[in-house]
Amino acid sequence: MEIIVLYGGKSAEHDISVLTATSIIQHIQYDVHTVTPVYIDINGHWFAGPNLSEKPAADINLRFNQAENGHAVVPTDILNEDKDQVIFPALHGPNGEDGTIQGLFETLNVAYVGAGVLASAAGMDKIVSKHLFNQVGLPQVPFTTLNAFEWENDADAAVAKVTESLTYPVFVKPANMGSSVGISQATDAAELKAALALAFRFDRRVLVEASVENPREVELAVLGNEEVFVSVPGELGKEQGFYDYDEKYINNTTEMIIPAKIDDETVAKLQAYAKEAYLVLDGSGLSRADFFLTKDGDIYINEVNTLPGFTQFSMYPSLWEASGKGFDELIEELIQLALNRYNKKQSIQKAFEL
């Protein structure tokens, strides 16, 4: 079977996507699959690399271009009705895990790994997902939202809206970014203004959340379609209070504690909440659910990531490794889940006759 790994993209998370793709390509089962890497550059141009029939070198250059090691393609060029194909999207952020590219896959009628259009869009949008989580009673910290009109029309009023419902410190987040891009903490009005200015560089809608004092940050991996499995929990052991972009992908000062040292009752609650969040989003394939755990044992869901990273520093594959599922096995199961969902969708009646 041909696995088309799609990565890069027009997103602030472009570089992370390339790291994820590199890792995925190293763990495909080449005895049963071939891989066609397809790179989307930062300007949105698509370039296909050579078809891979064996595991490539770890330092493979996946940033293809027309002049050197790739050839320009459009989406329909990579599809072949005479082949069994699955697309493995390794795209992070807007245009990658927000339902946009998933809508293209659906239009092209091709099997693909991960969440569908609805789950991708709702999971990516921190504001929409919070409202959905509220509907099923998942515990969350207090929050409020702002849009670009409010900010641009009267920045002081926007700050006042936040302080009327929340107390400092607060976290400010673009509604549709991941990997901590554009996220910052504010402890006073001046910092809040700066944080909002940063967040609005990346989105037209912004989420502002109450802070939890010295929480443990716990993450769980979710896998499945209709039948859902949840991993053991992992914890982020940080040298600094906020797990930002540099700490995740550059400095790597964050320790992953897997499994997290949490009592069985709390683990069961976390796993139930992770599953509930997955189901309310209509998840499929995979996701990672992130939580805050206080010293008093209170649990707050932070967010769900429908396309978590697969880099050497990533929690998702590490959680499954600790749960008894190796990286190669995990990649293969995701491919099979994609085929299973695709085949079931093909069996759905598409016409109605009176």
Side-chain angles (χ1 to χ4, degrees):
M1 181 179 298
E2 181 184 20
I3 310 302
I4 300 168
V5 179
L6 188 63
Y7 57 95
K10 296 168 61 176
S11 166
E13 299 180 72
H14 180 100
D15 293 341
I16 303 161
S17 173
V18 176
L19 293 174
T20 288
T22 302
S23 186
I24 290 169
I25 287 171
Q26 294 292 320
H27 293 279
I28 296 286
Q29 295 185 9
Y30 286 94
D31 56 335
V32 292
H33 303 304
T34 62
V35 172
T36 298
V38 178
Y39 172 58
I40 306 175
D41 72 16
I42 198 66
N43 296 310
H45 302 122
W46 293 42
F47 298 95
N51 185 264
L52 305 173
S53 57
E54 59 183 20
K55 182 178 179 179
D59 62 350
I60 182 174
N61 177 17
L62 294 178
R63 296 176 186 266
F64 305 127
N65 59 66
Q66 186 73 17
E68 298 177 14
N69 53 355
H71 61 278
V73 294
V74 295
T76 51
D77 290 339
I78 62 178
L79 300 181
N80 187 334
E81 293 183 357
D82 296 327
K83 286 184 178 181
D84 291 327
Q85 295 177 307
V86 173
I87 297 180
F88 201 129
L91 296 159
H92 297 303
N95 301 311
E97 57 181 305
D98 61 356
T100 307
I101 199 74
Q102 289 76 16
L104 175 62
F105 301 154
E106 293 287 348
T107 302
L108 295 174
N109 193 32
V110 61
Y112 61 95
V113 169
V117 176
L118 174 63
S120 297
M124 183 70 187
D125 193 301
K126 295 178 177 65
I127 295 172
V128 170
S129 59
K130 282 194 168 291
H131 289 305
L132 288 172
F133 297 157
N134 269 341
Q135 288 296 311
V136 293
L138 292 175
Q140 302 181 85
V141 298
F143 67 91
T144 190
T145 65
L146 292 167
N147 60 46
F149 175 80
E150 292 174 294
W151 171 246
E152 293 165 0
N153 189 55
D154 191 336
D156 290 333
V159 169
K161 177 182 176 180
V162 173
T163 56
E164 284 170 5
S165 57
L166 303 175
T167 57
Y168 295 112
V170 295
F171 279 99
V172 181
K173 306 176 179 182
N176 282 279
M177 288 300 296
S179 300
S180 299
V181 173
I183 298 178
S184 50
Q185 186 180 40
T187 60
D188 57 35
E191 289 185 357
L192 178 56
K193 272 193 174 182
L196 289 169
L198 174 64
F200 277 116
R201 285 171 49 193
F202 296 98
D203 207 333
R204 61 181 182 81
R205 294 159 58 248
V206 166
L207 172 72
V208 186
E209 294 178 310
S211 179
V212 179
E213 184 179 359
N214 297 321
R216 298 171 67 181
E217 295 189 38
V218 179
E219 301 181 352
L220 295 92
V222 185
L223 182 69
N225 290 338
E226 290 87 358
E227 186 178 14
V228 180
F229 302 92
V230 184
S231 73
V232 299
E235 182 174 358
L236 301 175
K238 309 184 298 297
E239 291 185 4
Q240 66 176 51
F242 170 47
Y243 188 39
D244 63 10
Y245 180 97
D246 285 351
E247 297 309 310
K248 282 186 175 182
Y249 299 104
I250 299 175
N251 299 335
N252 191 30
T253 60
T254 302
E255 177 189 6
M256 294 189 299
I257 303 168
I258 304 173
K261 297 177 181 178
I262 300 173
D263 65 86
D264 292 345
E265 182 179 353
T266 302
V267 168
K269 285 183 180 179
L270 286 163
Q271 290 174 328
Y273 289 156
K275 183 176 181 180
E276 187 69 37
Y278 193 76
L279 293 173
V280 75
L281 292 175
D282 190 30
S284 55
L286 74 162
S287 78
R288 192 194 69 232
D290 301 348
F291 296 88
F292 296 129
L293 178 62
T294 72
K295 62 182 179 180
D296 296 324
D298 295 324
I299 299 170
Y300 300 101
I301 188 167
N302 180 26
E303 63 181 11
V304 166
N305 188 324
T306 59
L307 191 56
F310 276 84
T311 73
Q312 59 180 319
F313 305 140
S314 297
M315 181 72 85
Y316 187 85
S318 301
L319 287 169
W320 282 117
E321 186 80 39
S323 302
K325 193 181 298 292
F327 209 137
D328 292 13
E329 181 185 357
L330 175 61
I331 295 297
E332 181 61 23
E333 185 158 345
L334 287 169
I335 292 169
Q336 296 305 319
L337 285 168
L339 286 169
N340 178 269
R341 182 186 60 182
Y342 175 79
N343 289 332
K344 285 189 175 181
K345 289 193 74 170
Q346 299 312 298
S347 69
I348 294 173
Q349 183 173 327
K350 297 177 176 62
F352 176 72
E353 297 180 1
L354 294 174

